[in-house]
């Protein structure tokens, strides 16, 4: 999660790529998912990343997160992600 807010876009992109891999193998009760559900603000900056390459990876990560976290993840994060994405 530290990489999600890193100053360098390449570091953020790497964090998003790692998160995508982690989410693809995560189980519904995985602590990693819980962290991203409880701190949905992490997604706000990710989906609105100022670097296009990093933003694409962030969207891939968010998609993998939604697949793993299911309806609970969607409900808890949509307010942060949908409004952020619209502003881009």
């Amino acid at each position: 999660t530290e990489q999600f807010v890193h100053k360098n876009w390449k570091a953020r992109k790497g964090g998003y790529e790692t998160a995508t891999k982690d989410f693809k193998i995560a189980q519904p009760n995985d602590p990693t998912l819980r962290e991203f559900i409880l701190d949905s603000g992490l997604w706000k900056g990710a989906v609105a990343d100022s670097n296009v390459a990093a933003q694409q990876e962030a969207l891939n990560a968010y998609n993998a997160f939604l697949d793993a976290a299911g309806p609970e993840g969607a409900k808890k994060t949509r307010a942060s992600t949908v409004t952020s994405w619209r502003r881009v």
Side-chain angles (χ1 to χ4, degrees):
T1 58
E2 289 178 15
Q3 285 184 302
F4 270 49
V5 294
H6 199 280
K7 184 177 177 179
N8 182 289
W9 73 268
K10 290 180 183 178
R12 292 192 309 273
K13 183 176 181 276
Y16 304 147
E17 291 168 343
T18 300
T20 300
K21 292 175 189 171
D22 291 346
F23 294 143
K24 286 185 177 183
I25 60 170
Q27 298 299 313
N29 59 350
D30 194 301
T32 302
L33 291 176
R34 185 83 15 240
E35 180 179 2
F36 280 89
I37 289 171
L38 295 175
D39 189 3
S40 62
L42 291 169
W43 291 117
K44 183 176 184 174
V47 300
D49 200 295
S50 60
N51 181 278
V52 174
Q55 184 185 44
Q56 181 61 50
E57 292 303 326
L59 292 170
N60 289 339
Y62 187 58
N63 188 44
F65 166 79
L66 291 174
D67 286 344
E72 181 186 9
K75 288 177 191 173
K76 298 279 186 172
T77 61
R78 78 174 159 216
S80 295
T81 55
V82 175
T83 56
S84 293
W85 183 75
R86 286 183 180 171
R87 293 181 187 160
V88 172

